Amino acid sequence: MRAARLIKMVLLLQSRSSMTGAELARELEVSERTVARDVLSLSEAGIPVYADRGRTGGYRLIGGYRTRLTGLGRSEAEALFLAGVPSALRELGLADAASAARLKVSAALVPELRDAATGAAQRFHLDAPGWYQEPSTPELLPTIAEALWDDRVLTARYDRKGTEVDRVLEPYGLVLKAGVWYLAADAADGRAGAGDSAGTGARAGAGGRDGARCRVYRVDRFRSVAAGADRFVRDPDFDLPAFWEERAAQFARSILRDEVTVRLTPAGARRLPHVTDRAAAREALDAAPDPDGQGRITVTLAVESPDVACSQLLGLGPEAEVLAPPELRARFAEAGRRMAELYGT
């Protein structure tokens, strides 16, 4: 544990010009006293760590010191070669760069770890696209990615529910979700409307820009994009994973606008999370009253629409009885009648 912590300290100081004892303690999850002892140990081992005294002081490496990757363990090396999704790298135009990077890392590893890349590739494969859909690469994705790397402002034409609108965007991040690419961006011209977003129109929230409205755009709905010469100032506190997690949760909640009441057998209750939104199913089951004399429970389930609920709950067959709304119950009665005619003797 201590050896791993010392290596991490060196890498942290190598990646930043200077860090205070408090910053190092927070990153390493130890006390500042432990940081001071570790710095002393590194100095005794010949690592040129220098301590600046005073209120603005901190620790830094001197003399252009750089460590090599020979401190990687086998599990760390294998995890490194698993990073990234091959299909995503190809779509972003980074396949060649990723291949070159893997070669350089392999060359820097000690001989007994150089089979880590082959071992990981033989055992694991990351497949991003979802089932039952033909994956397609948005034609404009490489252009968007290039502007994203460079923090360049994008001038774009976007298909918003059948109407094409012009937008000036500051691209903050790309996300690949179930084979679909999404762009998190701030409307630099201040003209983003609620319909622009692939999710909801709420503020960025976690990791978002103070006072800004970062929105989500489906990349395949861009009709044209062009990266301008102007660069924007990226908010260093923007956290893309946290932003996406919050926005995805908001979107999942926002589409569940209707409710249905369903009586479930024990088998139906077990299968409910597999045919409808998992979070909504869990909430409904947790809030359900005690089972009746036949072991059945009655739940109030949030659904996207009666049509969606019909297609989902029909998958439970006789394990679910729709009680409300009346029109949905009537549709199930009609479906049951037709099934009885089809299979009846």
Side-chain angles (χ1 to χ4, degrees):
M1 283 291 292
R2 185 164 187 262
R5 189 175 71 242
L6 292 174
I7 292 172
K8 185 175 181 180
M9 179 182 287
V10 173
L11 294 175
L12 284 169
L13 293 175
Q14 185 172 294
S15 63
R16 307 181 193 181
S17 59
S18 177
M19 294 184 70
T20 66
E23 289 172 337
L24 282 169
R26 186 166 55 252
E27 290 280 355
L28 300 172
E29 298 181 350
V30 295
S31 67
E32 292 188 48
R33 185 182 296 274
T34 299
V35 168
R37 286 198 297 264
D38 286 349
V39 167
L40 181 60
S41 297
L42 288 173
S43 297
E44 292 174 349
I47 307 298
V49 182
Y50 179 77
D52 288 318
R53 306 297 179 184
R55 290 181 57 190
T56 60
Y59 298 100
R60 60 186 176 89
L61 292 172
I62 59 175
Y65 179 85
R66 307 288 293 178
T67 185
R68 298 181 63 195
L69 292 175
T70 49
L72 284 175
R74 172 166 294 277
S75 60
E76 294 168 327
E78 289 171 344
L80 180 62
F81 284 109
L82 276 175
V85 180
S87 60
L89 292 172
R90 285 195 301 271
E91 292 176 7
L92 290 169
L94 297 174
D96 291 340
S99 177
R102 284 192 293 269
L103 286 173
K104 290 178 180 179
V105 172
S106 295
L109 292 172
V110 293
E112 57 267 27
L113 294 183
R114 287 178 185 163
D115 65 338
T118 304
Q122 288 174 339
R123 291 167 174 81
F124 301 98
H125 173 65
L126 303 176
D127 184 13
W131 292 104
Y132 314 120
Q133 63 180 14
E134 188 68 28
S136 61
T137 303
E139 182 181 349
L140 301 174
L141 179 62
T143 304
I144 294 173
E146 187 175 351
L148 183 64
W149 280 115
D150 237 4
D151 290 339
R152 292 190 180 275
V153 175
L154 278 174
T155 301
R157 180 169 285 263
Y158 187 72
D159 184 350
R160 189 181 69 185
K161 298 181 180 180
T163 301
E164 294 189 1
V165 294
D166 294 321
R167 292 289 178 261
V168 179
L169 302 173
E170 295 176 354
Y172 261 69
L174 281 166
V175 175
L176 178 61
K177 170 70 172 178
V180 180
W181 284 97
Y182 297 90
L183 173 68
D186 182 24
D189 56 2
R191 292 189 297 166
D196 286 1
S197 181
T200 65
R203 291 185 180 274
R209 302 179 65 192
D210 184 22
R213 298 180 67 87
C214 211
R215 295 182 177 274
V216 178
Y217 300 80
R218 277 187 61 140
V219 173
D220 57 8
R221 292 182 186 167
F222 283 104
R223 298 296 170 252
S224 66
V225 293
D230 295 336
R231 287 185 170 89
F232 65 94
V233 179
R234 172 178 289 268
D235 181 357
D237 294 328
F238 181 80
D239 185 335
L240 181 60
F243 166 79
W244 179 258
E245 181 179 2
E246 180 179 313
R247 182 54 56 86
Q250 289 175 357
F251 176 66
R253 289 192 299 269
S254 71
I255 64 174
L256 302 178
R257 301 184 181 94
D258 286 296
E259 287 185 346
V260 298
T261 304
V262 188
R263 183 182 290 127
L264 300 166
T265 66
R270 289 193 299 271
R271 290 171 53 192
L272 184 64
H274 301 287
V275 300
T276 187
D277 181 83
R278 288 181 179 271
R282 292 193 199 97
E283 290 178 7
L285 292 170
D286 290 343
D290 294 335
D292 62 16
Q294 296 177 302
R296 300 177 302 176
I297 60 172
T298 300
V299 301
T300 300
L301 178 69
V303 296
E304 184 174 346
S305 68
D307 287 340
V308 172
C310 186
S311 63
Q312 292 175 337
L313 296 176
L314 277 174
L316 296 178
E319 310 302 333
E321 177 190 1
V322 174
L323 303 179
E327 57 272 20
L328 184 59
R329 181 178 174 86
R331 291 176 63 175
F332 271 73
E334 174 64 13
R337 183 189 63 77
R338 293 175 61 189
M339 292 283 284
E341 289 179 355
L342 187 62
Y343 291 101
T345 58

